[in-house]
Coordinates of all heavy atoms in Angstrom, one line a residue:
M1 N 51.9 -14.2 -2.2 CA 50.4 -14.1 -2.4 C 50.1 -13.0 -3.5 O 49.1 -13.1 -4.1 CB 49.7 -13.8 -1.1 CG 48.2 -13.9 -1.2 SD 47.5 -14.0 0.4 CE 46.0 -13.1 0.1
S2 N 51.0 -12.1 -3.6 CA 50.7 -11.0 -4.6 C 50.9 -11.6 -6.1 O 50.5 -10.9 -7.0 CB 51.7 -9.9 -4.4 OG 53.0 -10.3 -4.6
D3 N 51.4 -12.8 -6.2 CA 51.5 -13.4 -7.5 C 50.2 -14.0 -8.1 O 50.1 -14.3 -9.2 CB 52.6 -14.5 -7.5 CG 54.0 -14.0 -7.2 OD1 54.2 -12.7 -7.4 OD2 54.9 -14.7 -6.8
L4 N 49.3 -14.1 -7.2 CA 48.0 -14.7 -7.6 C 47.2 -13.6 -8.5 O 47.2 -12.4 -8.1 CB 47.1 -15.0 -6.4 CG 47.7 -16.2 -5.5 CD1 46.8 -16.3 -4.3 CD2 47.8 -17.5 -6.3
P5 N 46.6 -14.1 -9.5 CA 45.8 -13.1 -10.3 C 44.5 -12.7 -9.6 O 44.0 -13.5 -8.8 CB 45.4 -14.0 -11.6 CG 45.5 -15.4 -11.1 CD 46.5 -15.4 -10.1
R6 N 44.1 -11.5 -9.8 CA 42.9 -11.0 -9.2 C 41.7 -11.1 -10.2 O 41.9 -10.9 -11.4 CB 43.0 -9.5 -8.8 CG 44.1 -9.3 -7.7 CD 44.1 -7.8 -7.3 NE 44.3 -6.9 -8.4 CZ 44.0 -5.7 -8.4 NH1 43.4 -5.1 -7.4 NH2 44.3 -4.9 -9.5
Y7 N 40.6 -11.3 -9.7 CA 39.4 -11.4 -10.5 C 39.1 -10.0 -11.1 O 39.4 -9.0 -10.4 CB 38.2 -11.8 -9.7 CG 38.2 -13.3 -9.3 CD1 38.4 -13.6 -8.0 CD2 38.0 -14.3 -10.2 CE1 38.5 -15.0 -7.6 CE2 38.1 -15.6 -9.9 CZ 38.3 -16.0 -8.6 OH 38.3 -17.3 -8.2
E8 N 38.5 -9.9 -12.3 CA 38.2 -8.7 -12.9 C 37.3 -7.8 -12.1 O 37.5 -6.6 -12.0 CB 37.6 -8.9 -14.3 CG 38.6 -9.3 -15.4 CD 39.7 -8.3 -15.6 OE1 39.5 -7.1 -15.8 OE2 40.9 -8.8 -15.7
Y9 N 36.3 -8.4 -11.4 CA 35.4 -7.5 -10.6 C 36.1 -6.9 -9.4 O 35.8 -5.8 -9.0 CB 34.2 -8.3 -10.2 CG 34.4 -9.2 -9.0 CD1 34.1 -8.8 -7.7 CD2 34.8 -10.6 -9.2 CE1 34.2 -9.6 -6.6 CE2 34.9 -11.4 -8.1 CZ 34.7 -11.0 -6.8 OH 34.8 -11.8 -5.7
V10 N 37.2 -7.6 -8.9 CA 37.9 -7.0 -7.8 C 38.8 -5.9 -8.3 O 38.9 -4.9 -7.7 CB 38.8 -8.1 -7.1 CG1 39.7 -7.5 -6.0 CG2 37.9 -9.2 -6.5
K11 N 39.4 -6.1 -9.5 CA 40.2 -5.0 -10.1 C 39.3 -3.7 -10.3 O 39.7 -2.6 -10.0 CB 40.8 -5.4 -11.4 CG 41.8 -6.5 -11.3 CD 42.3 -6.8 -12.7 CE 43.3 -8.0 -12.7 NZ 43.7 -8.4 -14.1
L12 N 38.1 -4.0 -10.8 CA 37.2 -2.8 -11.1 C 36.8 -2.2 -9.8 O 36.8 -0.9 -9.6 CB 36.0 -3.3 -11.8 CG 34.9 -2.3 -12.1 CD1 35.4 -1.0 -12.8 CD2 33.7 -2.9 -12.9
A13 N 36.5 -3.0 -8.8 CA 36.1 -2.4 -7.4 C 37.3 -1.6 -6.9 O 37.1 -0.6 -6.3 CB 35.7 -3.5 -6.5
D14 N 38.5 -2.2 -7.0 CA 39.7 -1.4 -6.5 C 39.9 -0.1 -7.3 O 40.3 0.9 -6.7 CB 40.9 -2.3 -6.7 CG 41.0 -3.5 -5.7 OD1 40.2 -3.5 -4.7 OD2 41.8 -4.4 -5.9
D15 N 39.6 -0.1 -8.6 CA 39.8 1.1 -9.4 C 38.8 2.2 -8.9 O 39.1 3.3 -8.7 CB 39.5 0.9 -10.9 CG 40.7 0.1 -11.5 OD1 41.8 0.0 -10.9 OD2 40.5 -0.3 -12.7
V16 N 37.5 1.8 -8.7 CA 36.5 2.7 -8.2 C 36.8 3.2 -6.8 O 36.7 4.4 -6.5 CB 35.1 2.1 -8.3 CG1 34.0 3.0 -7.7 CG2 34.7 1.8 -9.8
A17 N 37.2 2.2 -5.9 CA 37.6 2.6 -4.6 C 38.8 3.6 -4.6 O 38.8 4.5 -3.8 CB 38.0 1.4 -3.8
A18 N 39.7 3.5 -5.5 CA 40.8 4.4 -5.6 C 40.3 5.8 -6.0 O 40.8 6.8 -5.5 CB 41.8 3.9 -6.6
D19 N 39.3 5.8 -6.9 CA 38.7 7.1 -7.3 C 38.0 7.8 -6.2 O 38.0 9.0 -6.0 CB 37.7 6.9 -8.5 CG 38.4 6.6 -9.8 OD1 39.6 6.9 -9.9 OD2 37.7 6.2 -10.8
I20 N 37.4 7.0 -5.3 CA 36.7 7.5 -4.1 C 37.7 8.0 -3.2 O 37.6 9.1 -2.6 CB 35.8 6.4 -3.5 CG1 34.6 6.1 -4.4 CG2 35.3 6.9 -2.1 CD1 33.8 4.8 -4.0
A21 N 38.8 7.3 -2.9 CA 39.9 7.7 -2.0 C 40.6 9.0 -2.5 O 40.9 9.8 -1.6 CB 40.9 6.6 -1.8
S22 N 40.7 9.1 -3.8 CA 41.4 10.3 -4.3 C 40.5 11.5 -4.3 O 41.0 12.6 -4.6 CB 41.9 10.0 -5.7 OG 40.9 10.0 -6.6
G23 N 39.2 11.4 -4.2 CA 38.3 12.5 -4.2 C 37.7 12.7 -5.6 O 36.9 13.6 -5.8
K24 N 38.1 11.9 -6.6 CA 37.6 12.0 -7.9 C 36.1 11.7 -7.9 O 35.3 12.2 -8.7 CB 38.3 11.0 -8.9 CG 37.9 11.1 -10.3 CD 38.7 10.2 -11.2 CE 38.3 10.3 -12.6 NZ 39.0 9.3 -13.5
L25 N 35.7 10.8 -7.0 CA 34.3 10.4 -6.8 C 34.0 10.8 -5.3 O 34.2 10.0 -4.4 CB 34.0 9.0 -7.0 CG 34.0 8.5 -8.5 CD1 33.9 7.0 -8.5 CD2 32.8 9.1 -9.2
P26 N 33.5 12.0 -5.0 CA 33.3 12.4 -3.7 C 32.0 11.8 -3.1 O 31.2 11.3 -3.9 CB 33.2 14.0 -3.8 CG 32.7 14.2 -5.2 CD 33.3 13.1 -6.0
Q27 N 31.8 11.9 -1.8 CA 30.6 11.4 -1.2 C 29.4 12.1 -1.8 O 29.4 13.3 -2.0 CB 30.7 11.7 0.3 CG 29.6 11.0 1.1 CD 29.9 11.0 2.6 OE1 30.8 11.6 3.1 NE2 29.1 10.2 3.3
G28 N 28.4 11.3 -2.1 CA 27.2 11.8 -2.8 C 27.2 11.7 -4.3 O 26.2 11.9 -4.9
A29 N 28.4 11.5 -4.8 CA 28.5 11.4 -6.3 C 27.9 10.1 -6.8 O 27.9 9.0 -6.2 CB 30.0 11.4 -6.7
A30 N 27.3 10.2 -8.0 CA 26.7 9.0 -8.6 C 27.7 8.3 -9.4 O 28.5 8.9 -10.2 CB 25.5 9.4 -9.5
L31 N 27.8 7.0 -9.3 CA 28.6 6.2 -10.2 C 27.9 6.2 -11.6 O 26.7 6.3 -11.7 CB 28.7 4.8 -9.7 CG 29.9 4.4 -8.9 CD1 30.0 5.3 -7.6 CD2 29.9 3.0 -8.5
P32 N 28.7 6.0 -12.7 CA 28.1 5.8 -14.0 C 27.1 4.6 -14.0 O 27.3 3.7 -13.1 CB 29.2 5.6 -14.9 CG 30.4 6.1 -14.2 CD 30.1 5.9 -12.7
G33 N 26.2 4.6 -14.8 CA 25.3 3.4 -14.9 C 26.0 2.2 -15.3 O 27.2 2.2 -15.8
E34 N 25.4 1.0 -15.0 CA 26.1 -0.3 -15.3 C 26.5 -0.4 -16.8 O 27.7 -0.8 -17.0 CB 25.1 -1.4 -15.0 CG 24.9 -1.6 -13.5 CD 23.9 -2.7 -13.2 OE1 23.2 -3.2 -14.1 OE2 23.8 -3.1 -12.0
R35 N 25.7 0.0 -17.7 CA 26.0 -0.2 -19.1 C 27.1 0.8 -19.5 O 28.0 0.5 -20.3 CB 24.8 0.0 -20.0 CG 23.8 -1.0 -19.8 CD 23.1 -1.4 -21.0 NE 22.0 -2.4 -20.7 CZ 22.2 -3.7 -20.8 NH1 23.3 -4.2 -21.0 NH2 21.2 -4.5 -20.5
A36 N 27.1 2.0 -18.9 CA 28.2 3.0 -19.2 C 29.5 2.4 -18.6 O 30.6 2.6 -19.3 CB 27.9 4.3 -18.6
M37 N 29.5 1.8 -17.5 CA 30.7 1.3 -16.9 C 31.3 0.1 -17.7 O 32.5 -0.1 -17.8 CB 30.5 0.8 -15.4 CG 30.3 2.0 -14.5 SD 30.0 1.5 -12.8 CE 31.6 1.0 -12.3
T38 N 30.4 -0.6 -18.4 CA 30.9 -1.7 -19.3 C 31.8 -1.1 -20.4 O 32.8 -1.7 -20.7 CB 29.8 -2.6 -19.9 OG1 29.0 -1.8 -20.7 CG2 29.0 -3.3 -18.8
G39 N 31.4 0.0 -20.9 CA 32.1 0.7 -22.0 C 33.4 1.4 -21.4 O 34.4 1.3 -22.0
L40 N 33.3 2.0 -20.3 CA 34.4 2.7 -19.7 C 35.5 1.8 -19.3 O 36.7 2.1 -19.5 CB 34.0 3.5 -18.4 CG 33.1 4.7 -18.6 CD1 32.6 5.2 -17.3 CD2 33.9 5.8 -19.3
Y41 N 35.2 0.6 -18.8 CA 36.2 -0.3 -18.2 C 36.4 -1.5 -19.1 O 37.3 -2.3 -18.8 CB 35.8 -0.7 -16.8 CG 35.9 0.4 -15.8 CD1 34.7 1.1 -15.5 CD2 37.1 0.8 -15.3 CE1 34.8 2.1 -14.6 CE2 37.1 1.8 -14.4 CZ 36.0 2.5 -14.0 OH 36.0 3.5 -13.1
G42 N 35.7 -1.7 -20.2 CA 35.9 -2.8 -21.1 C 35.6 -4.2 -20.5 O 36.3 -5.1 -20.7
V43 N 34.6 -4.2 -19.6 CA 34.2 -5.5 -18.9 C 32.7 -5.8 -19.2 O 32.0 -5.0 -19.7 CB 34.5 -5.4 -17.4 CG1 36.0 -5.2 -17.1 CG2 33.7 -4.3 -16.8
S44 N 32.3 -7.0 -18.8 CA 30.9 -7.4 -19.0 C 30.0 -6.8 -17.9 O 30.5 -6.3 -16.9 CB 30.8 -8.9 -18.9 OG 31.0 -9.4 -17.6
I45 N 28.8 -6.8 -18.2 CA 27.8 -6.2 -17.2 C 27.8 -7.1 -15.9 O 27.7 -6.5 -14.8 CB 26.4 -6.1 -17.8 CG1 25.6 -5.1 -16.9 CG2 25.7 -7.4 -18.0 CD1 24.4 -4.5 -17.6
G46 N 28.1 -8.4 -16.0 CA 28.2 -9.2 -14.8 C 29.3 -8.8 -14.0 O 29.2 -8.8 -12.7
T47 N 30.4 -8.4 -14.6 CA 31.6 -8.0 -13.8 C 31.3 -6.7 -13.1 O 31.7 -6.5 -12.0 CB 32.8 -7.8 -14.8 OG1 33.1 -9.1 -15.4 CG2 34.0 -7.3 -14.0
V48 N 30.6 -5.8 -13.8 CA 30.2 -4.5 -13.2 C 29.3 -4.7 -12.0 O 29.5 -4.2 -10.9 CB 29.5 -3.6 -14.2 CG1 28.9 -2.4 -13.5 CG2 30.5 -3.1 -15.3
R49 N 28.4 -5.6 -12.1 CA 27.4 -5.9 -11.0 C 28.1 -6.5 -9.8 O 27.9 -6.1 -8.7 CB 26.3 -6.8 -11.5 CG 25.4 -6.0 -12.5 CD 24.3 -6.9 -13.0 NE 23.4 -6.1 -13.9 CZ 22.6 -6.6 -14.7 NH1 22.5 -7.9 -14.9 NH2 21.8 -5.8 -15.5
R50 N 29.1 -7.4 -10.1 CA 29.8 -8.0 -9.0 C 30.7 -7.0 -8.3 O 30.9 -7.0 -7.1 CB 30.6 -9.2 -9.5 CG 29.8 -10.4 -9.8 CD 30.6 -11.6 -10.1 NE 31.2 -12.2 -8.9 CZ 32.0 -13.2 -8.9 NH1 32.3 -13.8 -10.0 NH2 32.5 -13.6 -7.8
A51 N 31.3 -6.1 -9.1 CA 32.1 -5.0 -8.5 C 31.3 -4.1 -7.6 O 31.8 -3.7 -6.5 CB 32.8 -4.2 -9.6
I52 N 30.1 -3.8 -8.0 CA 29.2 -2.9 -7.2 C 28.9 -3.6 -5.9 O 28.9 -3.0 -4.9 CB 28.0 -2.5 -8.0 CG1 28.4 -1.5 -9.1 CG2 27.0 -1.8 -7.1 CD1 27.4 -1.1 -10.1
V53 N 28.6 -4.9 -6.0 CA 28.3 -5.7 -4.8 C 29.5 -5.6 -3.8 O 29.4 -5.4 -2.6 CB 28.0 -7.1 -5.1 CG1 28.0 -8.0 -3.8 CG2 26.6 -7.2 -5.8
E54 N 30.7 -5.7 -4.4 CA 32.0 -5.7 -3.6 C 32.1 -4.3 -3.0 O 32.5 -4.2 -1.8 CB 33.2 -6.0 -4.5 CG 34.5 -5.9 -3.8 CD 34.7 -6.9 -2.8 OE1 34.1 -8.0 -2.8 OE2 35.6 -6.7 -1.9
L55 N 31.8 -3.2 -3.7 CA 31.9 -1.9 -3.2 C 30.9 -1.7 -2.1 O 31.2 -1.0 -1.1 CB 31.7 -0.9 -4.3 CG 32.9 -0.8 -5.3 CD1 32.5 0.0 -6.5 CD2 34.1 -0.2 -4.6
R56 N 29.7 -2.3 -2.2 CA 28.7 -2.2 -1.1 C 29.2 -2.9 0.1 O 29.0 -2.4 1.2 CB 27.4 -2.8 -1.6 CG 26.6 -1.8 -2.4 CD 25.1 -2.2 -2.5 NE 24.9 -3.5 -3.0 CZ 24.5 -3.9 -4.2 NH1 24.3 -3.0 -5.1 NH2 24.3 -5.1 -4.5
K57 N 29.8 -4.1 0.0 CA 30.4 -4.8 1.1 C 31.5 -4.0 1.8 O 31.6 -4.1 3.0 CB 31.0 -6.1 0.6 CG 30.0 -7.2 0.3 CD 30.7 -8.4 -0.2 CE 29.8 -9.5 -0.6 NZ 30.5 -10.7 -1.1
R58 N 32.2 -3.2 1.1 CA 33.3 -2.4 1.6 C 32.7 -1.1 2.3 O 33.4 -0.3 2.9 CB 34.3 -2.0 0.6 CG 35.0 -3.1 0.0 CD 36.0 -2.6 -1.1 NE 36.6 -3.7 -1.8 CZ 37.5 -3.5 -2.8 NH1 38.0 -2.3 -3.0 NH2 38.0 -4.5 -3.4
G59 N 31.4 -0.9 2.1 CA 30.8 0.3 2.7 C 31.0 1.6 2.0 O 30.9 2.7 2.6
L60 N 31.4 1.5 0.7 CA 31.7 2.7 -0.1 C 30.6 3.2 -0.9 O 30.6 4.4 -1.2 CB 32.9 2.4 -1.0 CG 34.2 2.0 -0.3 CD1 35.3 1.6 -1.3 CD2 34.7 3.2 0.6
V61 N 29.6 2.4 -1.3 CA 28.5 2.8 -2.1 C 27.2 2.2 -1.6 O 27.2 1.2 -0.9 CB 28.7 2.5 -3.6 CG1 30.0 3.1 -4.2 CG2 28.7 1.0 -3.8
A62 N 26.1 2.9 -2.0 CA 24.8 2.3 -1.8 C 24.0 2.4 -3.1 O 24.2 3.4 -3.9 CB 24.1 3.1 -0.7
T63 N 23.2 1.4 -3.4 CA 22.4 1.4 -4.6 C 20.9 1.6 -4.2 O 20.4 1.0 -3.4 CB 22.6 0.1 -5.3 OG1 23.9 -0.1 -5.6 CG2 21.8 0.0 -6.6
L64 N 20.3 2.6 -4.9 CA 18.9 2.9 -4.7 C 18.2 2.4 -6.0 O 18.5 2.8 -7.1 CB 18.7 4.4 -4.6 CG 19.4 5.1 -3.4 CD1 19.3 6.6 -3.5 CD2 18.9 4.5 -2.1
P65 N 17.3 1.5 -5.8 CA 16.6 0.9 -7.0 C 16.0 2.0 -7.9 O 15.4 2.9 -7.4 CB 15.5 0.0 -6.4 CG 16.0 -0.3 -5.0 CD 16.8 0.9 -4.6
A66 N 16.2 1.9 -9.1 CA 15.7 2.8 -10.2 C 16.3 4.2 -10.1 O 15.9 5.1 -10.8 CB 14.2 2.8 -10.2
K67 N 17.3 4.4 -9.2 CA 17.9 5.7 -9.0 C 19.4 5.6 -9.4 O 19.9 6.6 -10.0 CB 17.8 6.2 -7.6 CG 16.4 6.4 -7.1 CD 15.8 7.6 -7.7 CE 14.4 7.8 -7.1 NZ 13.6 8.7 -7.9
G68 N 20.1 4.6 -9.0 CA 21.5 4.5 -9.3 C 22.3 4.1 -8.1 O 21.8 3.8 -7.0
T69 N 23.6 4.1 -8.2 CA 24.6 3.8 -7.2 C 25.3 5.1 -6.8 O 25.9 5.7 -7.7 CB 25.5 2.7 -7.6 OG1 24.7 1.5 -8.0 CG2 26.5 2.3 -6.5
Y70 N 25.4 5.3 -5.5 CA 26.0 6.6 -5.0 C 27.1 6.3 -4.0 O 27.0 5.3 -3.2 CB 25.0 7.5 -4.3 CG 23.9 7.9 -5.3 CD1 22.8 7.1 -5.6 CD2 24.0 9.1 -6.0 CE1 21.8 7.5 -6.5 CE2 23.1 9.5 -7.0 CZ 22.0 8.7 -7.2 OH 21.1 9.1 -8.1
V71 N 28.1 7.2 -4.0 CA 29.2 7.1 -3.0 C 28.7 7.5 -1.6 O 28.1 8.6 -1.5 CB 30.4 8.0 -3.4 CG1 31.5 7.9 -2.3 CG2 30.9 7.6 -4.8
I72 N 28.8 6.6 -0.6 CA 28.4 7.0 0.7 C 29.5 7.0 1.7 O 29.3 7.4 2.9 CB 27.3 6.0 1.2 CG1 27.9 4.6 1.3 CG2 26.0 6.0 0.4 CD1 27.0 3.6 2.1
G73 N 30.7 6.5 1.4 CA 31.8 6.5 2.3 C 33.1 6.7 1.6 O 33.2 6.7 0.4
G74 N 34.1 6.9 2.4 CA 35.4 7.0 1.8 C 36.4 6.9 3.0 O 36.1 6.6 4.1
P75 N 37.7 7.2 2.7 CA 38.7 7.0 3.7 C 38.5 8.0 4.9 O 39.0 7.7 6.0 CB 40.0 7.3 3.0 CG 39.6 8.1 1.8 CD 38.2 7.6 1.4
E76 N 37.9 9.2 4.6 CA 37.8 10.2 5.7 C 36.4 10.6 5.8 O 36.1 11.8 5.9 CB 38.7 11.4 5.4 CG 40.1 11.0 5.3 CD 41.1 12.1 5.5 OE1 40.6 13.2 6.0 OE2 42.2 12.0 5.1
S77 N 35.4 9.7 5.8 CA 34.0 10.0 6.1 C 33.9 10.4 7.5 O 34.6 10.0 8.4 CB 33.1 8.9 5.7 OG 33.4 7.8 6.5
P78 N 32.9 11.3 7.8 CA 32.7 11.8 9.2 C 32.6 10.7 10.2 O 32.9 10.9 11.4 CB 31.5 12.6 9.1 CG 31.4 13.0 7.7 CD 32.0 11.9 6.9
A79 N 32.0 9.6 9.9 CA 31.8 8.5 10.8 C 33.1 7.9 11.3 O 33.2 7.3 12.3 CB 30.9 7.4 10.2
D80 N 34.2 8.0 10.5 CA 35.5 7.4 10.8 C 36.3 8.3 11.6 O 37.3 7.9 12.2 CB 36.2 7.1 9.5 CG 35.6 6.0 8.7 OD1 34.8 5.3 9.2 OD2 35.8 5.9 7.5
T81 N 36.0 9.6 11.7 CA 36.9 10.5 12.5 C 36.3 10.7 13.9 O 35.1 10.8 14.1 CB 37.0 11.9 11.8 OG1 35.6 12.4 11.6 CG2 37.6 11.8 10.4
P82 N 37.2 10.6 14.9 CA 36.7 10.8 16.3 C 36.2 12.2 16.6 O 36.7 13.2 16.0 CB 37.9 10.4 17.1 CG 39.1 10.6 16.2 CD 38.6 10.4 14.8
D83 N 35.2 12.3 17.4 CA 34.7 13.6 17.9 C 35.8 14.2 18.8 O 36.6 13.5 19.4 CB 33.4 13.4 18.6 CG 32.3 13.0 17.7 OD1 32.4 13.2 16.5 OD2 31.3 12.4 18.2
E84 N 35.7 15.5 19.0 CA 36.6 16.2 19.9 C 36.5 15.7 21.3 O 37.4 15.6 22.1 CB 36.4 17.7 19.8 CG 37.0 18.3 18.5 CD 36.8 19.8 18.5 OE1 36.8 20.4 19.6 OE2 36.7 20.3 17.4
D85 N 35.2 15.4 21.7 CA 34.9 15.0 23.1 C 35.6 13.6 23.3 O 36.0 13.4 24.4 CB 33.4 14.9 23.3 CG 32.8 16.2 23.2 OD1 33.5 17.3 23.5 OD2 31.5 16.3 23.0
E86 N 35.6 12.8 22.3 CA 36.2 11.4 22.5 C 37.7 11.5 22.6 O 38.3 10.6 23.2 CB 35.8 10.5 21.3 CG 34.4 10.2 21.2 CD 34.0 9.4 20.0 OE1 34.9 9.0 19.2 OE2 32.8 9.2 19.7
T87 N 38.4 12.5 22.0 CA 39.8 12.5 22.1 C 40.3 13.3 23.3 O 41.5 13.2 23.6 CB 40.4 13.2 20.8 OG1 39.8 14.5 20.7 CG2 40.1 12.4 19.6
A88 N 39.5 14.1 23.9 CA 39.9 14.8 25.1 C 40.0 13.9 26.3 O 39.2 13.0 26.5 CB 38.9 15.9 25.4
N89 N 41.0 14.1 27.1 CA 41.2 13.3 28.3 C 40.6 13.9 29.5 O 40.5 14.9 29.9 CB 42.7 13.0 28.6 CG 43.3 12.1 27.5 OD1 42.5 11.4 26.9 ND2 44.6 12.2 27.3

């Protein structure tokens, strides 16, 4: 299955997700604007928009109309870690 080609928007979403996981894009950070991302990644604006939709589906970013897209989650966001009370027996 790894021999199948990936869509460009999935590649872009994976790249941004990797930046989030590595801490390069921490929680609360703004993603570059759509047009800026077209230049950074060498893809069309449609690809950027589909990648952002994919990142929203993954729960990594949220888009605020006329404000931008922001990182809201990551591999170790507080919602993912158990509370001390939950781990105590």
Side-chain angles (χ1 to χ4, degrees):
M1 188 163 145
S2 62
D3 294 342
L4 295 175
R6 293 186 304 158
Y7 290 108
E8 286 298 314
Y9 79 93
V10 175
K11 290 179 189 177
L12 177 54
D14 288 346
D15 286 349
V16 175
D19 287 345
I20 292 169
S22 72
K24 185 176 177 183
L25 286 171
Q27 193 165 6
L31 266 57
E34 291 177 347
R35 296 217 184 269
M37 288 180 76
T38 63
L40 288 171
Y41 294 98
V43 296
S44 70
I45 197 158
T47 299
V48 170
R49 289 177 178 162
R50 287 186 73 181
I52 291 171
V53 168
E54 177 68 20
L55 291 165
R56 282 198 304 258
K57 287 180 183 177
R58 296 181 191 184
L60 297 175
V61 301
T63 302
L64 303 173
K67 299 286 184 192
T69 301
Y70 297 87
V71 177
I72 60 167
E76 299 200 17
S77 61
D80 294 338
T81 56
D83 292 335
E84 288 182 26
D85 295 337
E86 293 176 7
T87 58
N89 291 337

